[in-house]
Amino acid sequence: MWQNSGLTAGVETGIICGVMKTPVTVTVTGAAGNIAYSLLFRIAAGEMLGADQPVILKLLEITPCLEKLNGVVMELEDCAFPLVQEIVATDDPAVAFKNADWCMLVGSVPRKAGMERKDLLSINGKVFVGQGKAIAENAAPGCKVFVVGNPCNTNCLIAMHNATGMPKENFFAMTMLDEYRAKAQLAAKAGVQVSDVTNMTIWGNHSATQYPDYTNAKICGKPVTEVISDTEWLQTDFIKTVQQRGAAIIQARGLSSAASAANAALMTVKNLTTPTAEGDWYSVARYSDGTHYGLPEGIICSMPSRTEADGTLTIVDGLPIDEFSRGKIEASCNELLEERAEVLG
Ligand code: NAD
Ligand code: LMR
């Protein structure tokens, strides 16, 4: 196929229709699942990579769900999205990850009420062994891997370890949903718009130990603590609400978050691929090399991150970490170390 030629044409006829950007190949696993059902149509519409960016969608499912996936593909086709150049639906990871520029690893079992996300490690962890290998063997050079399936930090670590030869810096896991939850809570408490809340870091694990760092966040450019004087609320109810929001949604809906998770997944890739506003940052879990904030080496840990104007992905260093924050961050990192030990075991 001539899909990298910079032109579009009918595959059957070879008719050249116009000049377009080279398509980006996006692989989504768990493509017949709930999150994917909210995610795929927005990627196809250009909300993730841009309104002028053609995409090739590669959709991976387990064999029993291929029929359901076929229905999703039919719906994608029926949208006639101008940016979608090709859709591949498969149960073969080698096919799904072939030439992938972005691997969005959503496919895995969600938890039920009463479970913690790490209880899923023994069920979901093994999926990321095979997928990590298949990505390393098949994906495009420079491919980036973004894990949503829980427990996402440690699943990402498993994929990274199995993706021999790929840079550790190309692996990410999702804490953007937690960041948005934290921003929504702060905005409601302060009586401002969500867009007025900036500089929010989620530190550590996407779990009940995560730390939404109100000490470095801002509301209308001012420190949160200057706008919200209720320190007791910030240190207790606020943190707990964010930590437990996933469980609260499962309790209320009977299903884990899907549309909000899809939105956060889409926005994470958007944040990773577009320059971050001056002075701001976003949260994403990424490889800790042991040189930032005393975080342990060799875990996938959420930290304040930026995408610079030249596309470089950086970690924001130098934020003040008070004693309260330090204790919370350490607790979450310790949990990540425990999960890593369980996986190694
Ligand atoms: P779902 O059960 O609706 O869909 C998951 C899909 O993955 C299913 O269709 C299943 O067949 C498929 N799947 C399972 N194993 C697979 C494999 N090896 N390869 C390809 N596909 C596979 O679940 P969902 O609601 O879409 O949630 C997916 C995951 O995302 C869950 O683990 C959930 O806990 C997690 N999640 C994470 C966050 C986050 O913030 N990181 C937020 C919400 C949900
Ligand atoms: C969430 O935060 O909503 C997801 O991780 C789903 C869950 O299990 O809580």
Side-chain angles (χ1 to χ4, degrees), residues 179 183 195 197-200 218 270-282 305-309 312 314 316:
E179 174 181 323
K183 284 179 166 174
S195 55
V197 186
T198 59
N199 303 84
M200 170 52 68
K218 292 183 181 156
K270 190 170 181 180
N271 278 321
L272 287 164
T273 51
T274 51
T276 311
E278 198 56 41
D280 203 359
W281 57 77
Y282 56 84
S305 301
R306 283 182 53 82
T307 303
E308 306 302 341
T312 317
T314 56
V316 178

Side-chain angles (χ1 to χ4, degrees), residues 117 207-212 238-246:
R117 296 179 187 93
S207 76
T209 66
Q210 66 177 275
Y211 174 50
F238 163 65
I239 295 175
K240 197 159 179 210
T241 300
V242 178
Q243 290 175 334
Q244 294 296 336
R245 189 68 162 188

Side-chain angles (χ1 to χ4, degrees), residues 46-187:
E47 285 187 56
M48 185 168 84
L49 296 171
D52 63 344
Q53 178 57 63
V55 288
I56 294 171
L57 291 176
K58 300 209 170 169
L59 311 180
L60 181 68
E61 258 298 344
I62 51 172
T63 313
C65 290
L66 281 180
E67 182 59 28
K68 190 176 174 195
L69 179 59
N70 190 35
V72 176
V73 172
M74 285 194 271
E75 285 205 71
L76 281 165
E77 287 170 354
D78 294 350
C79 291
F81 287 117
L83 292 172
V84 177
Q85 291 218 339
E86 192 185 352
I87 305 173
V88 176
T90 179
D91 58 359
D92 181 349
V95 173
F97 294 123
K98 191 79 195 158
N99 298 328
D101 298 299
W102 277 96
C103 298
M104 303 183 73
L105 307 187
V106 181
S108 44
V109 176
R111 67 173 161 157
K112 306 266 185 312
M115 292 171 80
E116 288 299 332
R117 296 179 187 93
K118 63 184 166 198
D119 297 335
L120 294 168
L121 202 46
S122 57
I123 307 167
N124 289 336
K126 52 185 176 289
V127 168
F128 295 84
V129 175
Q131 291 188 356
K133 288 181 179 152
I135 291 167
E137 284 162 16
N138 294 284
C143 164
K144 298 211 171 54
V145 179
F146 173 53
V147 180
V148 175
N150 278 322
C152 60
N153 299 55
T154 301
N155 287 339
C156 182
L157 187 73
I158 296 170
M160 187 195 83
H161 272 286
N162 285 282
T164 311
M166 285 184 64
K168 294 180 169 61
E169 294 70 30
N170 288 12
F171 287 78
F172 303 93
M174 184 157 101
T175 51
M176 186 68 68
L177 181 53
D178 308 296
E179 174 181 323
Y180 287 160
R181 288 167 173 167
K183 284 179 166 174
Q185 293 300 317
L186 291 177

